[in-house]
């Protein structure tokens, strides 16, 4: 009997001790990357009414916060300039807890669906090009670190997730997001500083999967009750709205980040009108508000060619979604869209996870380096349709953001042309110039012997069509159409 009483007392004492000790979210832990030269948020839980003191190895300053009645606390700490120096942070509510091997650098979120989630080691039946070379090269990417938020659904917004920061090495790189890793690798090597990526994504998710309950109720007709959500998407749980955001994204919202990288859209193919572009803007506004860091960069990836519509490569539902992404880039402030029309092989028409992930990540890095890190000479934009002129049986196309170049000079592929009958035919296209009006009119000349009076032109405006037109930065021309048929 005495032993039982003694054992009970020990359990109570242990429970009291556990309750009193400061607790951190898993994302705040050993090996983490903190955003350099700013005030980062650090937070957690402790016994109500206690004071949590936070000290760092890089400063003599100590900051403190009183724990609220809900057991929560939060402080802001000034961070040093980026370096590879190993730092420590100590949290003390009477019993100190130290986080070690912290580095100061740049932190980016990797969000979206499976093409962002796809690791360097690939998925089943879906390899990443040059995997072995990337594994061997990972020894040179010690400045890159990653934390993967488990992809889980929850009916209520979560404040924590079981995760841990990983340092890049040949042993660990295979599990990093491929797109995120290649972004971080180029950024880290160019700037010679640590770069951390927070992977908060889930394959197959829709843009609505990440919207809050309030935004779903205000802007959509989707259910917000978890039971009704599961009923609506009983077969494909990855399509479910709200639940993925609650479980997979909400836990990172207190973390101080530089910006967001986003690769998603396949599961929204077929959405009507401008629904996708409107809802993507709502999502970006939501995330920026939730992070509370101002108008942070939002750089996203256009979905690659794929045979949507049950394998119909010539249908246009995928092209319409890409058009929606292009429209979103025009209305979302501080955003930029990466074109991937050239990053599939002809045999990948049935492969929704293309193997060429390195150029995707690097194009995102080019964007960030130019827009956020002062590398103004980097030509990161893809060219896009500007206007057209009809001359007899020919349409002359002008592009913008082409860095004074539309290449190749001859045999441009991917164009179609149509007359008033709205029937499109494959077209011949090449570089064209002629003097006039005191300047040289340089354009892309598009013709077809089957269309004598053309009125419209399209470029790669199909589910799966690969063009070859690139600009001076070797970036592909965005797919487009001049009609609204």
């Amino acid at each position: 009997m005495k032993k039982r009483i003694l054992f009970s007392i020990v359990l109570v004492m242990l429970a009291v001790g556990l309750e009193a000790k400061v607790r951190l979210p898993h994302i705040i832990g050993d090996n983490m990357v903190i955003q350099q030269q700013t005030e980062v948020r650090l937070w957690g839980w402790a016994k109500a009414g206690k004071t949590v003191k936070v000290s760092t190895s890089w400063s003599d300053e100590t900051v403190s916060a009183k724990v609220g009645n809900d057991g929560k606390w939060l402080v802001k700490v000034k961070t040093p300039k980026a370096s590879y120096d190993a730092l420590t942070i100590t949290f003390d509510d009477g019993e100190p807890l130290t986080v070690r091997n912290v580095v100061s650098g740049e932190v980016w979120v990797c969000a979206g669906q499976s093409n962002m989630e796809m690791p360097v080691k690939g998925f089943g039946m879906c390899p990443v090009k040059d995997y072995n070379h990337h594994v061997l090269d990972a020894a040179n990417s010690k400045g890159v670190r990653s934390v993967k938020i488990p992809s889980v659904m929850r009916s209520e917004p979560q404040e924590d997730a079981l995760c841990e920061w990983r340092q890049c090495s040949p042993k660990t790189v295979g599990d990093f997001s491929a797109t995120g890793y290649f972004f971080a690798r180029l950024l880290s090597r160019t700037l010679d500083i640590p770069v951390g990526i927070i992977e908060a994504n889930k394959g197959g998710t829709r843009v609505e999967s990440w919207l809050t309950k309030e935004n779903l109720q205000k802007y959509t007709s989707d259910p917000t009750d978890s039971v009704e959500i599961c009923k609506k998407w009983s077969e494909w749980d990855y399509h479910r709205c709200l639940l993925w955001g609650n479980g997979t994204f909400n836990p990172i919202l207190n973390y101080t980040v530089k910006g967001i990288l986003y690769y998603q859209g396949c599961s929204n193919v077929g959405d009507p009108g401008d629904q996708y572009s409107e809802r993507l803007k709502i999502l970006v506004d939501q995330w920026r508000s939730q992070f509370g860091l101002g108008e942070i960069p939002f750089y996203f990836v256009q979905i690659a060619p794929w045979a949507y519509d049950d394998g119909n490569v010539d249908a246009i539902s995928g092209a319409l979604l890409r058009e929606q992404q292009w429209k979103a880039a025009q209305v979302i402030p501080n955003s930029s869209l990466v074109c991937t029309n050239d990053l599939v092989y002809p045999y990948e028409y049935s492969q929704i996870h293309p193997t060429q992930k390195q150029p995707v990540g690097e194009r995102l890095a080019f964007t960030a380096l130019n827009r956020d890190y002062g590398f103004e000479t980097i030509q990161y934009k893809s060219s896009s349709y500007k206007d057209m002129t009809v001359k007899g049986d020919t349409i002359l196309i002008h592009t913008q953001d082409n860095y004074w170049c539309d290449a190749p000079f001859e045999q441009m592929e991917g164009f179609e042309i149509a007359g008033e009958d709205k029937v499109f035919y494959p077209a011949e296209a090449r570089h064209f110039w002629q003097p006039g009006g005191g300047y040289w009119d340089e354009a892309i000349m598009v013709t077809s012997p089957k269309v004598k009076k053309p009125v419209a032109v399209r470029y790669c405006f199909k589910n799966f069509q690969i063009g070859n037109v690139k600009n001076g930065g070797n970036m592909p021309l965005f797919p487009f159409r001049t009609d609204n048929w």
Side-chain angles (χ1 to χ4, degrees):
M1 184 68 176
K2 290 182 180 179
K3 289 183 178 180
R4 286 171 126 188
I5 294 174
L6 182 61
F7 183 66
S8 298
I9 292 173
V10 171
L11 287 178
V12 170
M13 291 176 66
L14 286 172
V16 171
L18 288 172
E19 181 183 3
K21 185 176 182 180
V22 64
R23 182 168 68 87
L24 302 174
H26 287 77
I27 198 171
I28 297 178
D30 294 347
N31 306 315
M32 72 176 182
V33 183
I34 52 175
Q35 182 61 37
Q36 67 161 325
Q37 295 182 296
T38 187
E39 281 193 332
V40 300
R41 293 175 295 227
L42 302 171
W43 72 100
W45 302 266
K47 188 176 181 179
K50 297 202 74 170
T51 296
V52 176
K53 297 179 180 180
V54 181
S55 58
T56 68
S57 62
W58 64 85
S59 172
D60 294 330
E61 183 180 359
T62 297
V63 296
S64 61
K66 188 173 181 179
V67 183
N69 292 331
D70 57 0
K72 300 177 183 179
W73 57 268
L74 183 147
V75 299
K76 292 183 178 180
V77 174
K78 294 180 180 179
T79 55
K81 184 178 180 180
S83 78
Y84 299 103
D85 295 340
L87 310 171
T88 62
I89 307 173
T90 298
F91 305 86
D92 193 347
D93 67 342
E95 186 177 351
L97 172 63
T98 299
V99 174
R100 305 181 186 281
N101 196 30
V102 176
V103 290
S104 184
E106 295 294 292
V107 182
W108 288 79
V109 176
C110 296
Q113 60 180 99
S114 56
N115 272 300
M116 180 63 85
E117 186 178 30
M118 186 178 183
V120 174
K121 66 183 179 184
F123 289 141
M125 308 303 293
C126 307
V128 168
K129 186 180 178 183
D130 297 328
Y131 165 73
N132 285 337
H133 293 286
H134 300 314
V135 170
L136 296 174
D137 179 70
N140 301 311
S141 294
K142 295 178 181 178
V144 177
R145 301 185 181 189
S146 169
V147 57
K148 177 70 170 78
I149 310 303
S151 302
V152 297
M153 293 180 287
R154 294 292 183 265
S155 59
E156 296 294 333
Q158 301 298 294
E159 296 179 321
D160 194 11
L162 292 173
C163 59
E164 62 180 4
W165 283 88
R166 306 165 293 188
Q167 293 180 268
C168 183
S169 73
K171 291 183 178 180
T172 63
V173 71
D175 291 320
F176 284 35
S177 157
T179 296
Y181 170 67
F182 294 125
F183 166 86
R185 184 178 74 173
L186 184 56
L187 206 64
S188 176
R189 294 182 183 181
T190 303
L191 302 175
D192 193 21
I193 60 174
V195 175
I197 53 174
I198 301 174
E199 303 178 32
N201 41 58
K202 168 60 182 175
T205 46
R206 295 168 54 81
V207 68
E208 294 83 2
S209 303
W210 307 103
L211 292 177
T212 60
K213 180 177 181 179
E214 294 73 21
N215 277 335
L216 286 167
Q217 290 174 335
K218 184 175 181 180
Y219 297 108
T220 80
S221 60
D222 287 339
T224 56
D225 175 78
S226 58
V227 174
E228 295 303 315
I229 292 171
C230 293
K231 284 182 179 178
K232 180 172 181 178
W233 291 284
S234 59
E235 186 175 358
W236 297 293
D237 63 353
Y238 44 80
H239 282 175
R240 291 172 183 168
C241 63
L242 180 63
L243 305 182
W244 293 107
N246 281 347
T248 306
F249 207 88
N250 209 76
I252 75 171
L253 292 174
N254 270 342
Y255 210 88
T256 304
V257 303
K258 178 69 173 183
I260 302 171
L261 311 175
Y262 188 72
Y263 194 166
Q264 185 276 334
C266 300
S267 294
N268 285 95
V269 168
D271 286 2
D274 290 336
Q275 179 173 292
Y276 182 81
S277 58
E278 292 168 356
R279 292 184 179 180
L280 183 56
K281 184 179 186 305
I282 292 167
L283 177 61
V284 176
D285 291 343
Q286 170 192 300
W287 280 346
R288 286 173 171 167
S289 175
Q290 289 176 312
F291 274 112
L293 299 170
E295 203 170 82
I296 56 176
F298 179 79
Y299 303 145
F300 61 123
V301 181
Q302 195 171 53
I303 60 172
W306 189 68
Y308 295 95
D309 303 289
D310 297 323
N312 187 346
V313 296
D314 293 324
I316 65 169
S317 59
L320 291 172
L321 195 283
R322 292 183 203 104
E323 186 177 65
Q324 283 294 296
Q325 292 178 309
W326 166 254
K327 288 183 177 181
Q330 312 314 304
V331 298
I332 298 173
N334 198 17
S335 72
S336 186
L337 180 64
V338 167
C339 182
T340 60
N341 184 72
D342 61 329
L343 297 182
V344 293
Y345 294 112
Y347 57 81
E348 289 185 308
Y349 63 89
S350 62
Q351 177 53 282
I352 204 166
H353 303 122
T355 187
Q356 298 180 69
K357 287 294 183 286
Q358 181 177 346
V360 180
E362 291 184 344
R363 288 176 187 179
L364 288 167
F366 293 152
T367 304
L369 287 167
N370 177 286
R371 295 170 63 105
D372 303 294
Y373 299 104
F375 286 78
E376 297 178 356
T377 55
I378 289 181
Q379 299 174 336
Y380 72 95
K381 294 182 180 181
S382 276
S383 53
S384 59
Y385 168 78
K386 181 181 180 181
D387 59 40
M388 75 173 202
T389 302
V390 179
K391 291 187 176 181
D393 64 351
T394 301
I395 292 182
L396 299 179
I397 294 292
H398 297 96
T399 64
Q400 57 191 356
D401 297 322
N402 66 355
Y403 302 115
W404 305 101
C405 177
D406 293 312
F409 210 78
E410 304 283 351
Q411 298 181 3
M412 295 178 174
E413 299 172 357
F415 286 92
E416 294 180 299
I417 202 168
E420 293 180 352
D421 61 0
K422 301 181 180 181
V423 177
F424 281 92
Y425 295 94
E428 297 178 1
R430 62 180 178 85
H431 186 265
F432 168 84
W433 78 93
Q434 68 175 7
Y439 64 94
W440 287 82
D441 182 13
E442 297 201 56
I444 298 174
M445 184 174 71
V446 187
T447 61
S448 171
K450 294 184 177 180
V451 183
K452 300 301 182 183
K453 295 182 179 180
V455 299
V457 64
R458 291 180 175 182
Y459 176 72
C460 294
F461 206 78
K462 292 182 177 181
N463 283 343
F464 190 91
Q465 187 174 19
I466 306 171
N468 68 343
V469 181
K470 297 192 176 185
N471 63 15
N474 204 36
M475 297 296 175
L477 173 64
F478 276 111
F480 69 87
R481 59 174 176 167
T482 63
D483 63 278
N484 60 0
W485 302 335

